[in-house]
Amino acid sequence: NAGVTQTPKFRVLKTGQSMTLLCAQDMNHEYMYWYRQDPGMGLRLIHYSVGEGTTAKGEVPDGYNVSRLKKQNFLLGLESAAPSQTSVYFCASSPASVGTQYFGPGTRLLVL
Amino acid sequence: AQKVTQAQTEISVVEKEDVTLDCVYETRDTTYYLFWYKQPPSGELVFLIRRNSFDEQNEISGRYSWNFQKSTSSFNFTITASQVVDSAVYFCALSEVSGYSTLTFGKGTMLLVSP
């Protein structure tokens, strides 16, 4: 039972490079979320999706883009990485608008 | 805007001690949900409990218990007879019904249980 998976687990980027983080869930959940976790800051919402083909901004969306072309996948893109985007990124999914969110294992990103 | 405050940044206890993690929240909604998640040193986020704003009954699950008090906007978490495996960062979170269930997290409390 995979649940929520994230690819890659760890990545090092140089400033200005681009990359895409992939989140996949096999629970048929409608809602998906991207958070970032920084020391002493808790988790902050970047973007979220309430269904296939929809996306919305969260608390800290600048510098990121997302796409939800398939219900089971939610992609987070960094077009031009900056050192301030060094963080641990978590994806989550939820079955309903007030359902419990289940998290992936996280992606550690280091931008030099 | 919703807000979650976990005033305790770090707590250290000795095994078998009881420990309470505090969580205070702010919201203008009358219907909302409160959560606790555990993040062990391995890094994953583990769901512990979800409670809606209409259910003020305290809940107990093994050594874990939760005290929800609407009057003080608090949702505190107690671990009884703590164990080394309880060492982790614990996050309290709030979800408003009107907000597509996006979670607002507190900054977390790091619990260190020593043998």
Side-chain angles (χ1 to χ4, degrees), chain A residues 3-24:
Chain A
V4 181
T5 58
Q6 293 183 231
T7 309
K9 288 186 170 55
F10 176 69
R11 183 79 182 266
V12 179
L13 286 180
K14 294 182 180 177
T15 296
Q17 286 185 320
S18 63
M19 79 163 294
T20 300
L21 282 67
L22 170 64
C23 175

Side-chain angles (χ1 to χ4, degrees), chain B residues 81-114:
Chain B
S82 60
Q83 299 176 1
V84 172
V85 293
D86 295 327
S87 296
V89 179
Y90 292 87
F91 291 98
C92 180
L94 167 69
S95 175
E96 293 175 340
V97 171
S98 59
Y100 291 111
S101 77
T102 58
L103 285 174
T104 296
F105 283 85
K107 294 184 178 181
T109 297
M110 179 178 290
L111 174 64
L112 178 60
V113 183
S114 305

Side-chain angles (χ1 to χ4, degrees), chain B residues 37-81:
Chain B
Y37 285 86
K38 174 183 179 180
Q39 186 175 43
S42 52
E44 73 271 24
L45 282 153
V46 178
F47 164 73
L48 295 178
I49 190 172
R50 168 176 173 254
R51 174 53 53 88
N52 76 58
S53 53
F54 296 108
D55 183 1
E56 290 194 68
Q57 279 193 336
N58 290 334
E59 179 148 345
I60 298 174
S61 176
R63 295 184 297 106
Y64 294 172
S65 62
W66 290 270
N67 181 6
F68 177 30
Q69 291 200 340
K70 233 172 170 177
S71 59
T72 56
S73 297
S74 65
F75 187 43
N76 296 337
F77 173 31
T78 296
I79 302 174
T80 303

Side-chain angles (χ1 to χ4, degrees), chain A residues 25-42:
Chain A
Q25 52 96 2
D26 63 1
M27 298 175 282
N28 202 34
H29 287 174
E30 286 293 334
Y31 292 68
M32 296 187 74
Y33 311 83
W34 276 108
Y35 294 87
R36 61 177 288 172
Q37 182 180 22
D38 302 294
M41 298 293 293

Side-chain angles (χ1 to χ4, degrees), chain B residues 2-22:
Chain B
Q2 54 189 12
K3 183 179 178 182
V4 176
T5 301
Q6 294 180 256
Q8 304 150 309
T9 306
E10 192 172 318
I11 301 175
S12 292
V13 299
V14 177
E15 219 173 8
K16 297 184 184 175
E17 282 186 27
D18 298 348
V19 58
T20 295
L21 309 182
D22 297 333

